[in-house]
Amino acid sequence: MILIIKYELEKLIKNKAFLLSGIISLLVVSGIFLVGYYYSQVTYADRNNADKGYPDYYSNVSNKYSGEFNDEKVEEVLSSYVDIYQSEHVGDKRPFDVFSWYIAEAFFPNGEDVYLNMNDAVENGKKLTLDQIGIRTIQEVGFASFQNPLKLEGYNTWNDLFMVTNYLFMLASLFIIVICSSVFSVESASNINQLLVSTKYGRGKLTIGKIMVATTVSILIFLIIQLISFGFFYYFYGIGGWNGSIQTNFLMKLFNFPMEMNHLEVYLLVIGVQFIGLISIVGSTLLISSMTKSPFASLAISLGVFFLPFLLGQVFQSGNIAKLLNLFPIQHYQVKEMLTIMETDAVFFFRHFTPNVLLTITIGLVIKVLSDLIVCLKMKYSQVK
């Protein structure tokens, strides 16, 4: 069996589709990291702030205001923010506070241009106070409450990690579909499968070896990409803010999310759900590959099966059809959308988040197991022509 696995691994790696898609994926990954981390809003703001004489401005501000999230904390953050905004350091010399800016966006009164009002006040030699601005309370904004208070930490950097994770899952899925779609179909296209099934191990161990190699390589691709991503994230930002409540991520705006989770817990959950979704993609793609006689046809059908739930989801946005569509992996590639659809039975099957997550994981595992079983049975009982 070891020799079979080694043979299938070498054949997969030497496949032109694997090599070509691997090179393209490396280029795309580099672009994702470049845009997601090096040219992110936080990195760009920090470089500009450093040029203005405010080095490490984001980390200094986020560390200063980290802690229990309450109305007093909001007032403290925004009081300093509006004071600096209206200070003598105006125009090009004013630091760009991306941490406080999004908090202000959530708590400043709706339907009123507060920045325009502050600019007018400064031009007249005055300053607006928070009382004059009239900021909203946590309850008015609609934040969820739990037995333990919410925590405010640096959130912008974790939003960058979530965004990069979104794109990496999509890229990994497409890469894996490309390499798995030819595992069986390339042999069918050249009629080598007829020779293989007539050999001693062609109907059993060879099929299992193909499935094991394709699954293992796919898992390694996903994990390596995610580990590299987290390495870049750590290099650029560190892991500060990991224990901040997901509700206080003012870029994601999940203020009333019903689960008490921090950024790290959400990240690990998302990776876990995406991982299960990925192996279900491997299973369905191998099944399609075993039923087609052309690598191109296998690839086209596999891509159609992958994207179809997303396209149908744009049409069916409620009801049982929408709930079924939301079980598919492509519906979970965006962190915010995954958390949103799983928190309610309006577009999922249960009223609570945890049962919906468990259902999604179960369905993904069932798809993988059933697909592999069908492939094994099909190859075992296939007829030699």
Side-chain angles (χ1 to χ4, degrees), residues 55-121:
D56 301 321
Y57 191 76
Y58 173 79
S59 60
N60 291 336
V61 173
S62 60
N63 291 334
K64 178 180 178 181
Y65 297 116
S66 63
E68 183 177 329
F69 181 67
N70 49 39
D71 287 320
E72 289 74 21
K73 178 70 69 176
V74 173
E75 185 174 344
E76 183 184 357
V77 172
L78 296 185
S79 178
S80 175
Y81 176 63
V82 299
D83 182 63
I84 293 175
Y85 187 89
Q86 299 175 101
S87 69
E88 58 181 352
H89 304 289
V90 296
D92 294 337
K93 294 184 178 180
R94 180 190 295 141
F96 182 28
D97 185 357
V98 294
F99 177 83
S100 304
W101 194 92
Y102 289 101
I103 298 177
E105 185 182 44
F107 285 93
F108 279 173
N110 293 326
E112 186 175 344
D113 194 335
V114 176
Y115 293 98
L116 179 60
N117 295 338
M118 287 194 292
N119 290 334
D120 291 341

Side-chain angles (χ1 to χ4, degrees), residues 169 273 277 280-281 304-333 337-338 341-342 345-349 356 359-360 363-364 367:
F169 174 72
V273 172
S280 71
I281 292 171
V305 170
F306 177 68
F307 284 110
L308 186 60
F310 177 79
L311 298 176
L312 291 177
Q314 307 306 304
V315 179
F316 302 99
Q317 298 186 358
S318 61
N320 292 329
I321 295 179
K323 294 179 181 181
L324 288 171
L325 294 173
N326 285 332
L327 289 170
F328 287 86
I330 195 172
Q331 303 290 63
H332 312 142
Y333 91 95
E337 282 66 19
M338 188 198 86
I341 64 176
M342 289 188 182
D345 62 349
V347 288
F348 229 87
F349 289 91
N356 286 326
L359 176 63
T360 302
I363 295 297
I367 291 175

Side-chain angles (χ1 to χ4, degrees), residues 1-13 183-184 187 196-197 199-214 216-217:
M1 191 65 185
I2 295 177
L3 291 176
I4 292 176
I5 292 175
K6 183 179 179 181
Y7 166 75
E8 289 297 330
L9 179 60
E10 291 178 353
K11 187 171 70 172
L12 181 66
I13 294 176
V183 170
F184 292 99
E187 294 174 348
L196 293 176
V197 296
T199 62
K200 181 178 180 181
Y201 301 116
R203 295 178 181 272
K205 290 185 177 181
L206 186 60
T207 301
I208 295 174
K210 289 178 182 293
I211 294 173
M212 290 178 62
V213 168
T216 303
V217 170

